[in-house]
Amino acid sequence: MEQFNVTGMSCAACQTRVEKAVASVPGVESCSVSLLTNSMGVEGSADPAAIVRAVEDAGYGASPKAAAVKIAAEEDALVDRETPKLRKRLLASLGFVLVLMYFSMGHMMWGWPLPAFFHDNHVAMGLIQMVLCTIVMVINQKFFISGFKSLWHRAPNMDALIALGSASGYIYSLIILFLMTRTVVDGDHARVEALMMEFYFESSAMILALITLGKMLEAYSKGRTTDALKGLMRLAPKTATVERDGAEVTVPNDEVAVGDIFVVRPGEQIPVDGVVLSGESAVNEAALTGESIPVDKSEGDRVSSATMNQSGFLRCRATRIGEDTTLSQIIHMVSDAAATKAPVAKLADRISGVFVPVVIIIALFTLMIWLLVGAPIGFSLARAITVLVVSCPCALGLATPVAIMVGNGVGAKNGILFKTAESLQETGQVDIVALDKTGTITEGVPKVTDVIPADGMTKKELLSLAGSLEAKSEHPLAKAILAECKDAYINFSEAEEFAAVFGKGVQGRIGGRRSYGGSGDYVFSHVAKDSVWEQRAKDLATQGKTPLFFATEDGFSGLIAVADTIKEDSAKAIAEMKRMGIHVVMITGDRKE
């Protein structure tokens, strides 16, 4: 798939137009445009230059995206640069609009005071309104550039209606201002005062300020939506250690090729997807799967980019690189999902495509009908322009992004993120909620839940034995036991002749006695098997706990169970959802029990 950067898009109508233009290029099999990242993916045999020309002919800009910097470029594209710009535009616009409203509405309707220069100086009043409106229009010139460009390419968008409505009111008011100067010369003061009421300068400026507010809220909402996506992109490793000519060399991640041999030491991220050639380790895959318990990896096992090697040394062969890695595919999936619009927002964009020409036709009909019934040209023109000004979709441009932003904001405050805007709109009709277990219902961190000593042992003695054995282990379950020893103020000695058996357990000499810890099969291969304790371990496992066996050369010592504990408020939250009539289910990759 060829990747391109696209510039000049402002709404879903622009996105659709770019997709249609590129789809018509010979050799293009499919085209997907992301409004969120301002990027485009094209599949097929079409010449990239022809694709760029098609986008430019549609009124937008395009350039090929370098393969080596695709994820970096997408992460850069997600930086929220629009909100600060729109905030400055809005503040500047409001400053001038408030002064304009003071002159046009405050003084004329409520008699608010003005400098003596403006008393009975109606032309000056009109001129100051024109200047203030002009400044607001210059500040918000992007609406006019985008709107009139879309009209030129016969693909009107929301900006076209905004530009037409604002420009029509401005031009009409300008004509009235010139008529006023003639009326002043003629000395018709009553007519001058009547013309003062015909100005639309404040309407033209207010339209732009309101829509800018809507655009800023939309950009702010989009910026918050992409935070999770930016976090995913930051997971991507930047470098890899590969074997080249018999030596280990650190290279940028994008220089790794399929078939390259790379090595990963404890504490390092796995740079690309691959298969283990040699070595044994526990790999934390929580970044991709959410599971808190690391997965043991040995020769022949597959490893994924952005997962963390926690204990041993791994030597692997690269199988998938760049955009083919699991992480990159997740990033693109989330990116495509986040670029979606709510159905109500899509409806607004579809309406604008039909609405603009319909409104223009209605305005022309209005003009002709008034002229046919004998109304003066000024009166008829005023009614036609009123149709354009009143029809400007402030509600579509402002209410929709405000509603979406508020919905996203309330959700975010409660720890709820919406994958797509459509999901947000449909949340009210939810019947079933599927909750991930690890990190959602549970804390996401292994903790000791049960300490069950054998006859002749105390809990303190069992924890001391386990702490001595696990102190030198790098396994996450060992860390849970050491944390429990610390919380219970348990002292333990250092194990001598320590050895870790990958995937099975640990052993060492404590106080002169050979001691063992780990799985049942491993421990009972060194001491006499006890079916009663095996059954107790199965009972713990059915509760979603991981049982660890401990023994010395003198006999079995006891069980310690480790589990991802349930959050304090999980039961209350699930009960509340059930009270709302929602069917709640749990998803886990652990065990059915």
Side-chain angles (χ1 to χ4, degrees), residues 305-377:
S305 173
T307 57
M308 183 68 69
N309 181 21
Q310 290 199 319
S311 53
F313 178 88
L314 293 175
R315 183 170 176 268
C316 313
R317 183 179 71 251
T319 56
R320 294 194 297 182
I321 61 171
E323 291 198 321
D324 293 329
T325 64
T326 304
L327 176 66
S328 293
Q329 290 171 8
I330 291 173
I331 289 171
H332 288 302
M333 181 188 72
V334 176
S335 174
D336 291 342
T340 63
K341 280 204 169 192
V344 67
K346 291 178 183 177
L347 179 63
D349 288 315
R350 284 201 302 271
I351 288 172
S352 68
V354 179
F355 196 52
V356 177
V358 169
V359 168
I360 294 172
I361 292 169
I362 292 173
L364 290 173
F365 267 113
T366 304
L367 175 65
M368 288 188 293
I369 290 169
W370 279 110
L371 288 174
L372 288 172
V373 299
I377 180 68

Side-chain angles (χ1 to χ4, degrees), residues 150-162:
S150 72
L151 286 172
W152 177 259
H153 290 283
R154 298 184 301 280
N157 57 15
M158 189 77 79
D159 290 347
L161 204 52
I162 295 163

Side-chain angles (χ1 to χ4, degrees), residues 76-244:
D76 182 65
L78 289 173
V79 175
D80 186 9
R81 298 185 179 91
E82 276 301 300
T83 302
K85 289 180 184 176
L86 287 165
R87 188 183 295 115
K88 289 179 182 177
R89 269 174 55 187
L90 177 63
L91 292 174
S93 299
L94 285 177
F96 289 106
V97 166
L98 288 174
V99 178
L100 174 55
M101 295 299 289
Y102 187 95
F103 274 91
S104 63
M105 307 291 284
H107 173 70
M108 293 174 62
M109 294 181 66
W110 299 299
W112 291 354
L114 285 176
F117 176 79
F118 291 101
H119 287 170
D120 297 322
N121 190 345
H122 299 299
V123 172
M125 287 280 288
L127 285 171
I128 193 69
Q129 290 183 49
M130 181 199 73
V131 169
L132 291 168
C133 182
T134 303
I135 293 171
V136 175
M137 293 174 80
V138 171
I139 291 170
N140 295 283
Q141 59 186 281
K142 281 193 73 173
F143 288 128
F144 298 95
I145 295 170
S146 170
F148 288 121
K149 186 186 286 186
S150 72
L151 286 172
W152 177 259
H153 290 283
R154 298 184 301 280
N157 57 15
M158 189 77 79
D159 290 347
L161 204 52
I162 295 163
L164 278 175
S166 181
S168 299
Y170 180 83
I171 292 169
Y172 177 75
S173 302
L174 205 56
I175 293 170
I176 294 297
L177 184 58
F178 277 97
L179 286 174
M180 184 183 286
T181 60
R182 179 69 257 174
T183 309
V184 169
V185 172
D186 294 341
D188 188 350
H189 296 294
R191 175 67 174 153
V192 170
E193 290 192 12
L195 288 174
M196 276 288 293
M197 307 305 294
E198 296 292 324
F199 285 143
Y200 283 101
F201 286 124
E202 76 285 349
S203 298
S204 295
M206 185 59 76
I207 286 169
L208 299 174
L210 285 174
I211 301 299
T212 301
L213 172 62
K215 293 279 186 182
M216 188 196 75
L217 294 174
E218 192 172 31
Y220 178 67
S221 178
K222 188 172 96 169
R224 290 198 307 183
T225 302
T226 58
D227 284 346
L229 187 54
K230 285 182 278 191
L232 267 178
M233 290 177 174
R234 293 190 193 105
L235 288 176
K238 302 297 185 288
T239 61
T241 303
V242 299
E243 294 182 358
R244 298 271 169 89

